[in-house]
Amino acid sequence: MLLPKFQFHEPATVEEACRILGELGEKAKTLAGGTDLFVNMKKKVLAPEHVVSLDRIESLAELGFSNGTLRIGACAKAVEIAESDVVKNDFPALQEGASKLGSPLIRNLATVGGNLVSARPAADFPPPLMAYGAKVVLRSGNGERTVALADFIEAPGQTVLAADEILESILLEKPEAHSGSAYLKLGIREALEISLVNVAVCMATEGADGPIKAARVVMGSVGPTPLISASAEKTLLGKKPSEALFLAAGEAAAMDSRPIDDFRASADYKRAMVKELTRRALARAYDRARTE
Amino acid sequence: MTEYHVINGRAPRLDAPAKATGRAMYVDDIKLPGMLYGAILQSPLAHAGILNIDTSKALKLPGVKSVLTAEDAGMVHYGVSPARYDETLFVKDRVRYIGDEIAAVAAVDLETALEAVSLIDVEYEELPAVFTMEEAMAEGAPQIHDKYPGNMCAEVHQEFGNVEEAFAQCDLIRTDTFLNKRQDGAFLEPNGVVADFDRNGYLTLHTSTQSPHYVMRIIAMVLSLPVGKVRVVKPYVGGGFGPKAATNSIELASCLLSMKTGKPVKMNFTREQVFLFSRARHQFKHTLTTGVKKDGTLMALTNECYLEGGAYASFGIATVYYAGSLLGAPYRLPNMKYDGYRLYTNRPACGAQRGHGGVAARAAWEQQIDFIAEELGMDPVEIRMKNSMEAGDITCNDFNTSSFGMKDCIEAVKEESNWSEKKGKMPEGKGIGIATGFFVSGAGYPIYRSETAHSTVVIKLNEDGGTAHVLTGSAEIGQGSDTAMAMIAAEALGVPLDCIKVSSGDTDFSVDLGAYSSRQTLMTGHATKNAAEDLKGQVLDVLGEKLKVPVDQMDIKNGFVVFKGEVPDFTSIRTIYAKEHRGFFDNPDSDEPLTFKEAARMAFLARGSMVGTGSYKPGDLGGKFKGAAVGTSPAYGPSAQVVEVTVDKGTGKITIDRMTDAHDCGFAINRTSVEAQMQGSLSMGVGEAMYEEVKFDDKGKILNANLGEYKIATALDMPNVDTIIVESNEPNGPFGAKEVGEGAIMPTIPAILNALYDATGVRIQELPLTPERVFKAIQEKEEREK
Amino acid sequence: MKKMICLTINGKEYELAAAPNMTLADLLREELLLTGTKKGCELGDCGTCTVIMNGKAVNSCLVLAVQASGKEITTVEGLETDEGLHPLQEKFIENGAIQCGFCTSGMLLSAKTLLDKNPKPDELEIRTAISGNLCRCTGYQKIVESIKDVSEGR
């Protein structure tokens, strides 16, 4: 299989990248890990005239805390996020999402930014990041803007990113005390899978034993974009955690899901799995909240 | 412990160092000077008439050297079996599936070739298509091949004994159905070729194939070349599993392009094209009715099977027979009726894949036997032991079992898996299941009608006697046949293994039918043994003359000449040898016994080139009824397997916790290779049971023509396997050896199905066991029980 | 327009011209005749094209040659040294972990990066490390045993 011909650009800085994209606009595609872009180019789904690589811009790959906010550069690789102690300690659902993406080989190339921008409904990064209320910083030659990740992805393959913008970083606030989170991915095999259904939850209780004071349930693969279940959140808020509550939240999430029948699985099954995975994820998140 | 000095051990594979260091050349690693790159034009429609093909734009593209269609290639019909030569290299007026080949291009590079293909204009007239067996059989269905009305590629009707009478005597009769899905070989190396037609009119084709011999014959026939001018060479092959035994379009097209351009031509299938080519596992729909006595004695079986075969017959003409014949064993079954129907559909053609037509049939029947056992209140191990055949038994369809360690296999897995402690006592969500298997050790007859030897081997001794070079047309495709032949040659000749060199997979070396139907260990092994013994005999002949010792008083063992009687004075031989090797480092010491090298040197001096030849052809096998040939074999490999699973009822996911497998391979030439084939075969069975399915849209296009969505087991999916080698010493096998490669897959699917039933009480009679299918079945069961 | 790239492959420095749309897999196989790196699917699904790039095992079919400029690449050909075969190669050969051999290059390199980072992995870690390398022949068992043997110094 051959890649179509293109002109290749390797800016050294974010400014340079934005300048090039400003000039080329729709004629260019940005390259981060390449695990999505090159597959689509080989399959002839995409044939951009220009490819602008962000691979050499070191500032885009950094990962670190600053004033209680975790900043993850868009070009941080899945493996770096999966192996980061910072992420593991404070954002375990993110660590889980990163470590279940594709395979170890893919994780050594794929970037969190690429996973967000390619906006595939079954992507592994959006649900946990959205569960943590992440924001994304978008940069262009004209400056930058910050957008809630929940508002960033619009449709399969489509985000609010303009043609002259790059996704520069993802910002996460450290979860409050007595928080717990979890990410579960259901696939046919144990590796190299695109999720049948994936669910991320983040919750916080009032004190160690109190009722739930904050909760977010995010489901992937069951809608054109990752979906936040408002009904699940409503079901959980103010209640004492319990098996029955988590089951009810799962049912609510299933009601909010919008799966379709496709060659991977039926909508009925996916809906049933939203219920099951939500229930399990909440149980695990609560366990983590208690042992914090 | 063994009396042999090479075989039955664990010699490292001869090809392993080359593969471990990246030196092993596979077909796409081959580059020849002036080589062109080829590409094929394939139909985007499942069924259409071709009104016009315009290659003019393609021909004008700079860098294009040749564009060929049916006009240039002619319409010689070929296939796998002469009984169904229903394909042509290029189609002329009709395409029959998405992927059917219309034209081929050779150009200076791949990019140009692909562009040229896109410039070929074809005018189609779309025709209605049929995709399923039901659609193919329906009244008024579009006919795919004019010669085969009703889209019936082949029909088989066989009855042995009298099933009606037998059923009348049964205490229990059960009918069950079973359905699998089309699958793919999913070998890691896509098919590829380099064809080279030289200026002397000799054609050499390098191709990733399982059978250089069959490919050579088809090329000679289709391209009208004398057999002696066609040489097929198999480089290292990255897996075959059946589909690579069928001659493919790029094998033919590249040869024709090379003939037209006078240059070597390289062509490869992309992974997607591997799926389009298929020639892989059929879909089978079985309806089995089995009758037993209340003590569990099997009395009769009727087996009705429909195969969804795709657009051409390929190996499917044999598959439709195997789907019935292989149930003749491993149990004593006096009455069996089989009705098989292979339908043409507008999809890629199906062919032979590991276990051939036996895998789905075995899965269906082993599952049904468990159901019967349950109804009778018998343990699944018990009912199998009770009915198991023994060596010397003949099946109702005339298969002779000259060795048959079936009972040993069942006992072995029962013991090793702790069956008695586990069955019926597994914790919630866990289950244990058993199944048996049975397969041929080489097809009894070649795929084309012929009295040919199935294997011929030449062994050439080098002039100083230090190396015996085995020349064989057999195909090392990863299963370890080169090493097995080296070990057999070493043992039979009487020399250490490192004195043997093997060159294989080249039709210039010898006739060998290739790696399919699990034949090479037995058949090529026999020919190799015969050739080695022939060579040894020649050497001993000369030695006998020189030393005045009768040949039957001498033998070669481990590189030395051994004498039954008194050791004669061989000083003269030693002196001659030393004189001819003045200054060499490895001349025998004066007190060493007479070496094979010295004896061989004498033989060379006396007679010139020392060449041993051997050949093998099975005797007359099987009955006299129609289709009797298919399933006949000089030997059969039985096996048994126990699988333990955990079922996550909340999602339907099955985890395979443990597999215990016992395989009767007659005699293990290389123990490591036998284990390795068992483990690999089982991993393929796991994939076929749990994940593998080729999916189509309603226009006949494959939805998952890639290894991401067509899912084979990864290292995280496959458990460890406890392998037990059973050796029943097959009298028809060289040193008692028979097959392992294909038989081992047989019990896997039903063992998993039976374990699933044990874990959940859920009967699933359709593959694959995706989480959705299992979850749904569990839900339905729970609903019924409310 | 080809671009000049400088990269180190198996310890040797190369200066080459590469078209932007050439993958690292093709650069290795076609330009440098290092054909030990294989192409099984070209879409990142099978792992037969695995090479080590700056210490990490990656699918070379999804990396552009131009992206590899300035980086250190190890292919299967670079595993052996003047002293002989790498212990992983020796164990794979000894244990019968190689059948058709097409997955072998990728398996060895994935295994090497695992042991370089985690010299004493448990079985789950071993299986995870090679979970991106498909094998159709072996069932993985002798491959896992070989990696374990090397990690235990056998």
Side-chain angles (χ1 to χ4, degrees):
Chain A
M1 291 180 98
L2 298 175
L3 286 165
K5 288 199 168 73
F6 52 86
Q7 284 192 58
F8 187 66
H9 309 262
E10 274 186 308
T13 65
V14 172
E15 290 69 32
E16 200 188 330
C18 291
R19 186 185 52 72
I20 296 172
L21 286 172
E23 284 165 14
L24 298 174
E26 300 284 346
K27 290 200 249 176
K29 280 266 176 238
T30 45
L31 165 65
T35 57
D36 189 77
L37 178 64
F38 293 144
V39 169
N40 283 310
M41 286 172 71
K42 287 188 189 192
K43 286 181 173 173
K44 303 200 181 349
V45 171
L46 294 171
E49 281 176 51
H50 298 264
V51 170
V52 181
S53 172
L54 306 178
D55 199 28
R56 307 260 178 206
I57 306 174
E58 281 171 25
S59 66
L60 286 179
E62 288 164 358
L63 192 160
F65 258 113
S66 170
N67 298 333
T69 302
L70 178 65
R71 180 190 174 280
I72 307 177
C75 289
K77 300 215 183 283
V79 64
E80 285 148 22
I81 297 171
E83 291 177 357
S84 153
D85 283 327
V86 158
V87 171
K88 206 175 303 190
N89 292 334
D90 294 320
F91 305 95
L94 176 59
Q95 190 267 337
E96 283 165 337
S99 67
K100 295 195 170 127
L101 190 152
S103 74
L105 303 173
I106 298 289
R107 296 195 278 277
N108 284 336
L109 286 176
T111 64
V112 58
N115 196 248
L116 297 181
V117 170
S118 62
R120 306 259 162 251
D124 287 296
F125 275 114
L129 288 172
M130 283 165 66
Y132 291 124
K135 299 192 177 66
V136 290
V137 178
L138 314 178
R139 188 90 102 81
S140 75
N142 300 326
E144 70 174 47
R145 56 182 178 131
T146 304
V147 172
L149 179 57
D151 299 328
F152 178 69
I153 300 171
E154 292 185 310
Q158 209 176 298
T159 67
V160 304
L161 200 66
D164 65 342
E165 274 181 320
I166 62 162
L167 193 165
E168 189 187 37
S169 58
I170 298 108
L171 303 174
L172 293 162
E173 299 303 316
K174 200 166 152 158
E176 51 193 314
H178 308 295
S179 282
S181 54
Y183 173 74
L184 291 177
K185 173 176 181 167
L186 177 67
I188 303 255
R189 297 179 295 183
E190 294 302 304
L192 287 163
E193 289 295 282
I194 292 178
S195 308
L196 290 176
V197 173
N198 47 345
V199 172
V201 309
C202 185
M203 59 132 87
T205 53
E206 202 86 58
D209 298 304
I212 294 170
K213 71 171 185 178
R216 188 165 293 149
V217 173
V218 187
M219 343 174 248
S221 321
V222 288
T225 68
L227 299 173
I228 297 176
S229 172
S231 314
E233 193 170 329
K234 192 154 159 244
T235 306
L236 292 164
L237 281 176
K239 309 275 198 344
K240 286 218 73 174
S242 72
E243 281 269 346
L245 181 68
F246 298 154
L247 183 61
E251 279 163 359
M255 300 275 279
D256 280 350
S257 71
R258 284 146 45 196
I260 53 170
D261 291 324
D262 65 21
F263 75 100
R264 292 200 183 109
S266 70
D268 280 344
Y269 178 70
K270 292 178 196 175
R271 202 170 292 116
M273 289 307 103
V274 166
K275 174 173 152 191
E276 183 61 24
L277 293 190
T278 301
R279 184 187 68 76
R280 294 186 190 189
L282 285 168
R284 184 176 298 182
Y286 182 51
D287 263 342
R288 286 180 174 153
R290 279 187 301 180
T291 60
E292 214 203 5
Chain B
M1 233 4 261
T2 180
E3 75 222 56
Y4 301 107
H5 75 268
V6 179
I7 57 180
N8 211 222
R10 290 182 177 277
R13 294 257 302 255
L14 302 184
D15 47 338
K19 291 171 176 174
T21 55
R23 284 191 186 78
M25 296 285 275
Y26 298 78
V27 72
D28 192 41
D29 303 333
I30 296 172
K31 272 188 178 13
L32 296 178
M35 191 171 76
L36 301 175
Y37 291 79
I40 42 169
L41 172 64
Q42 293 175 280
S43 168
L45 298 171
H47 200 195
I50 293 182
L51 302 175
N52 190 47
I53 305 174
D54 180 0
T55 59
S56 56
K57 282 190 283 183
L59 282 163
K60 289 203 198 89
L61 187 67
V64 170
K65 302 298 181 190
S66 178
V67 179
L68 302 174
T69 64
E71 288 295 315
D72 311 282
M75 294 293 280
V76 175
H77 282 76
Y78 75 96
V80 167
S81 159
R84 288 290 182 281
Y85 277 170
D86 59 0
E87 309 184 48
T88 53
L89 166 48
F90 301 119
V91 296
K92 192 159 158 176
D93 30 42
R94 181 133 72 115
V95 291
R96 295 180 171 87
Y97 73 101
I98 294 179
D100 217 347
E101 297 89 356
I102 300 165
V105 170
V108 292
D109 54 39
L110 181 59
E111 194 184 342
T112 307
L114 291 172
E115 200 188 330
V117 164
S118 74
L119 292 174
I120 301 175
D121 281 325
V122 181
E123 229 181 295
Y124 297 101
E125 181 186 34
E126 204 165 344
L127 297 169
V130 291
F131 299 121
T132 66
M133 13 176 140
E134 290 79 16
E135 286 171 5
M137 286 190 288
E139 193 67 30
Q143 300 297 284
I144 299 173
H145 289 274
D146 297 330
K147 239 180 116 179
Y148 298 98
N151 293 316
M152 189 63 70
C153 170
E155 237 183 276
V156 179
H157 302 285
Q158 297 171 331
E159 182 163 4
F160 309 99
N162 189 321
V163 291
E164 281 308 310
E165 271 177 28
F167 279 139
Q169 295 166 40
C170 289
D171 298 312
L172 172 65
I173 300 175
R174 239 197 103 101
T175 299
D176 289 283
T177 61
F178 184 84
L179 182 71
N180 77 323
K181 303 290 157 47
R182 257 179 186 252
Q183 283 155 348
D184 190 79
F187 33 81
L188 284 223
E189 183 213 11
N191 315 63
V193 298
V194 176
D196 189 13
F197 186 70
D198 72 20
R199 300 268 170 207
N200 292 325
Y202 282 90
L203 175 66
T204 302
L205 175 69
H206 304 266
T207 173
S208 179
T209 179
Q210 294 172 226
S211 178
H213 178 74
Y214 284 152
V215 172
M216 178 272 288
R217 285 180 57 94
I218 296 294
I219 288 173
M221 183 179 84
V222 173
L223 302 183
S224 304
L225 290 168
V227 161
K229 296 239 171 178
V230 179
R231 176 184 176 205
V232 175
V233 181
K234 176 208 70 68
Y236 281 105
V237 166
F241 308 113
K244 283 184 181 174
T247 306
N248 64 50
S249 56
I250 56 177
E251 284 167 333
L252 288 162
S254 62
C255 287
L256 192 56
L257 286 167
S258 185
M259 289 163 74
K260 298 282 184 188
T261 60
K263 295 262 189 289
V265 176
K266 174 187 274 282
M267 295 180 82
N268 289 301
F269 275 163
T270 61
R271 178 57 57 179
E272 184 184 10
Q273 286 172 314
V274 174
F275 281 94
L276 292 179
F277 175 67
S278 178
R279 273 48 174 196
R281 181 88 67 211
H282 288 69
Q283 175 173 54
F284 300 82
K285 187 158 125 183
H286 280 275
T287 304
L288 302 183
T289 301
T290 300
V292 298
K293 289 244 186 259
K294 62 175 179 275
D295 68 353
T297 306
L298 280 168
M299 296 288 290
L301 165 70
T302 67
N303 172 8
E304 184 188 65
C305 184
Y306 290 88
L307 290 75
E308 189 258 299
Y312 298 101
S314 191
F315 259 104
I317 182 65
T319 318
V320 66
Y321 282 93
Y322 274 120
S325 65
L326 292 176
L327 290 189
Y331 306 118
R332 292 188 172 121
L333 180 68
N335 306 283
M336 180 167 81
K337 182 169 187 287
Y338 173 61
D339 297 288
Y341 307 90
R342 184 185 191 270
L343 281 319
Y344 281 118
T345 57
N346 292 114
R347 283 178 170 180
C350 300
Q353 179 162 321
R354 197 177 214 161
H356 213 157
V359 174
R362 176 67 38 206
W365 207 29
E366 286 296 310
Q367 182 180 55
Q368 187 179 54
I369 284 169
D370 251 36
F371 297 157
I372 288 171
E374 191 186 43
E375 284 194 54
L376 293 177
M378 277 179 89
D379 177 82
V381 169
E382 195 196 334
I383 195 173
R384 289 173 169 85
M385 283 297 284
K386 184 184 176 54
N387 286 288
S388 177
M389 288 170 66
E390 287 172 348
D393 287 350
I394 300 177
T395 68
C396 63
N397 53 344
D398 286 324
F399 298 162
N400 262 304
T401 57
S402 30
S403 72
F404 213 69
M406 178 82 269
K407 286 186 172 168
D408 289 334
C409 288
I410 298 173
E411 296 271 11
V413 295
K414 179 185 172 192
E415 274 308 300
E416 183 67 23
S417 69
N418 275 330
W419 173 271
S420 307
E421 281 83 74
K422 290 185 177 158
K423 175 72 177 153
K425 301 163 196 158
M426 302 287 281
E428 170 67 22
K430 292 190 187 284
I432 189 167
I434 185 171
T436 65
F438 168 77
F439 198 65
V440 300
S441 194
Y445 294 86
I447 201 69
Y448 59 92
R449 287 225 169 96
S450 169
E451 292 298 320
T452 180
H454 291 216
S455 177
T456 57
V457 170
V458 173
I459 304 183
K460 188 172 168 299
L461 200 51
N462 86 319
E463 73 279 9
D464 88 334
T467 299
H469 191 177
V470 176
L471 297 159
T472 166
S474 63
E476 164 64 74
I477 54 170
Q479 83 285 57
S481 61
D482 279 1
T483 304
M485 298 317 137
M487 292 171 80
I488 288 171
E491 192 70 52
L493 187 55
V495 300
L497 183 58
D498 63 10
C499 295
I500 305 291
K501 178 167 143 168
V502 176
S503 293
S504 68
D506 186 330
T507 53
D508 269 5
F509 293 160
S510 80
V511 168
D512 190 289
L513 301 185
Y516 77 105
S517 71
S518 219
R519 60 173 290 285
Q520 291 186 163
T521 296
L522 190 149
M523 298 194 178
T524 313
H526 255 309
T528 303
K529 181 166 185 278
N530 294 346
E533 285 166 353
D534 176 28
L535 191 54
K536 180 162 77 170
Q538 292 178 45
V539 172
L540 290 179
D541 228 25
V542 172
L543 193 63
E545 274 171 29
K546 285 231 173 298
L547 295 177
K548 310 270 181 278
V549 175
V551 168
D552 63 8
Q553 292 296 302
M554 300 184 288
D555 200 359
I556 315 285
K557 287 254 179 280
N558 225 350
F560 293 100
V561 182
V562 298
F563 297 92
K564 290 208 175 90
E566 212 184 292
V567 179
D569 180 6
F570 55 83
T571 326
S572 61
I573 294 178
R574 182 140 291 172
T575 309
I576 293 171
Y577 189 90
K579 235 164 134 178
E580 291 202 327
H581 293 84
R582 282 252 280 265
F584 277 66
F585 74 102
D586 58 349
N587 294 337
D589 289 330
S590 51
D591 56 355
E592 237 180 301
L594 183 59
T595 63
F596 174 73
K597 272 180 81 168
E598 292 165 296
R601 180 66 184 171
M602 294 305 111
F604 172 75
L605 293 175
R607 296 199 183 166
S609 295
M610 295 299 293
V611 177
T613 65
S615 85
Y616 176 82
K617 185 175 161 208
D620 273 330
L621 297 169
K624 302 282 170 240
F625 52 92
K626 180 163 200 272
V630 184
T632 57
S633 181
Y636 296 93
S639 57
Q641 202 171 124
V642 168
V643 172
E644 289 174 48
V645 303
T646 301
V647 182
D648 178 346
K649 294 188 179 171
T651 60
K653 265 190 102 155
I654 300 174
T655 304
I656 304 196
D657 297 317
R658 196 177 159 188
M659 302 180 91
T660 310
D661 188 56
H663 195 99
D664 171 16
C665 65
F667 176 87
I669 300 292
N670 183 316
R671 308 190 80 81
T672 306
S673 293
V674 172
E675 285 168 5
Q677 280 286 292
M678 288 164 76
Q679 292 162 358
S681 212
L682 264 57
S683 79
M684 197 159 167
V686 165
E688 294 199 15
M690 311 265 285
Y691 324 114
E692 295 181 43
E693 180 183 347
V694 179
K695 302 179 185 180
F696 291 85
D697 68 12
D698 58 10
K699 296 239 175 310
K701 182 165 189 262
I702 299 177
L703 290 168
N704 59 340
N706 59 75
L707 293 175
E709 295 296 341
Y710 181 86
K711 299 169 190 286
I712 70 173
T714 69
L716 286 172
D717 299 299
M718 187 60 198
N720 287 313
V721 182
D722 283 322
T723 53
I724 302 159
I725 294 175
V726 169
E727 292 176 309
S728 64
N729 290 304
E730 169 56 57
N732 294 332
F735 298 109
K738 55 185 177 175
E739 78 90 42
V740 64
E742 290 192 58
I745 198 178
M746 293 297 188
T748 306
I749 296 170
I752 294 172
L753 290 169
N754 292 340
L756 169 65
Y757 179 69
D758 190 53
T760 60
V762 155
R763 294 192 163 138
I764 297 184
Q765 289 158 274
E766 184 177 342
L767 297 181
L769 299 171
T770 58
E772 176 168 359
R773 181 160 283 122
V774 175
F775 179 75
K776 211 162 145 214
I778 292 174
Q779 296 287 78
E780 284 169 3
K781 176 172 184 283
E782 284 173 4
E783 274 304 307
R784 281 197 305 271
E785 287 171 356
K786 275 212 186 115
Chain C
M1 260 298 290
K2 287 193 176 182
K3 282 186 177 282
M4 284 307 294
I5 60 174
C6 292
L7 65 172
T8 305
I9 300 172
N10 299 331
K12 189 169 157 194
E13 277 176 31
Y14 291 86
E15 213 176 293
L16 302 159
N21 67 337
M22 173 173 256
T23 61
L24 177 58
D26 282 337
L27 180 83
L28 294 167
R29 290 177 52 77
E30 307 300 318
E31 300 299 315
L32 298 170
L33 303 184
L34 291 168
T35 55
T37 303
K38 303 301 177 197
K39 295 200 295 189
C41 75
E42 301 196 75
L43 295 175
D45 292 325
C46 76
T48 59
C49 68
T50 304
V51 301
I52 301 177
M53 186 165 78
N54 281 5
K56 297 244 190 291
V58 297
N59 294 312
S60 65
C61 70
L62 294 180
V63 176
L64 300 176
V66 293
Q67 285 182 287
S69 191
K71 302 200 175 155
E72 272 185 41
I73 310 289
T74 304
T75 68
V76 68
E77 291 93 343
L79 279 181
E80 56 189 296
T81 62
D82 293 336
E83 271 84 66
L85 296 181
H86 190 281
L88 282 168
Q89 289 170 308
E90 282 179 350
K91 276 296 166 188
F92 270 48
I93 292 168
E94 188 187 318
N95 288 343
I98 302 174
Q99 291 193 44
C100 85
F102 209 69
C103 77
T104 300
S105 306
M107 286 290 181
L108 286 167
L109 295 169
S110 288
K112 179 182 188 306
T113 58
L114 169 70
L115 295 180
D116 284 348
K117 200 159 138 187
N118 178 2
K120 297 256 181 261
D122 61 29
E123 183 166 335
L124 181 59
E125 286 166 326
I126 292 174
R127 286 178 176 274
T128 303
I130 60 171
S131 61
N133 296 88
L134 295 180
C135 175
R136 191 58 153 166
C137 294
T138 69
Y140 304 101
Q141 196 163 336
K142 292 183 187 295
I143 293 173
V144 172
E145 281 164 10
S146 301
I147 299 170
K148 205 179 285 182
D149 281 351
V150 174
S151 78
E152 289 171 3
R154 278 205 278 265

